[in-house]
């Protein structure tokens, strides 16, 4: 996450930037983080050493993310502008927020960092 997730748009179109630009996942949509919280909850059981993957660490992705879609999607571009963020800063926001979700569920997050 947020890349390699275009298939999520089929069932949850609100987590994608637009119908023509399916990834990376939409950082401007609260639905994106609700879905991530629920998905990670299934993996973690929302408790240390619980869930489908009881290991203490969980990998969250973060690699091969092309943020051009965010700057071309009006809603995401407006969200970035309102927060005075570049697309790269939006990526940082996304991976940090996702890491906090994993940590709140008792996991140590692991991510590719694309230079962060």
């Amino acid at each position: 996450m947020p890349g390699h997730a275009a298939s999520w748009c089929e069932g949850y179109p609100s987590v994608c930037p637009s119908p023509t630009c399916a990834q990376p996942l939409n950082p401007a949509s609260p639905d994106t983080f609700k879905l991530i919280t629920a998905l990670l909850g299934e993996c973690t059981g929302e408790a240390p050493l619980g869930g489908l993957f009881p290991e203490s660490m969980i990998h969250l992705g973060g690699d091969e993310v092309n943020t051009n879609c965010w700057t071309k999607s009006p809603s995401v571009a407006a969200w970035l502008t309102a927060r005075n963020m570049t697309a790269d800063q939006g990526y940082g926001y996304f991976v940090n927020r996702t890491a906090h979700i994993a940590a709140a569920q008792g996991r140590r997050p692991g991510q590719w960092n694309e230079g962060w």
Side-chain angles (χ1 to χ4, degrees), residues 1 57-62 91 94-96 98-99 109-113:
M1 297 179 283
M57 185 175 196
I58 191 163
H59 197 283
L60 301 174
Y91 168 82
F94 186 98
V95 297
N96 285 328
T98 304
Q111 297 168 300
W112 293 101
N113 66 19

Side-chain angles (χ1 to χ4, degrees), residues 2-60:
H4 302 295
S7 63
W8 297 21
C9 299
E10 293 297 317
Y12 304 93
S14 64
V15 304
C16 296
S18 75
T20 58
C21 197
Q23 62 182 350
L25 294 173
N26 185 347
S29 173
D31 292 343
T32 300
F33 298 102
K34 287 178 190 173
L35 180 59
I36 290 169
T37 300
L39 176 64
L40 289 179
E42 287 187 32
C43 295
T44 67
E46 298 186 40
L49 306 178
L52 297 172
F53 301 100
E55 293 77 15
S56 63
M57 185 175 196
I58 191 163
H59 197 283
L60 301 174

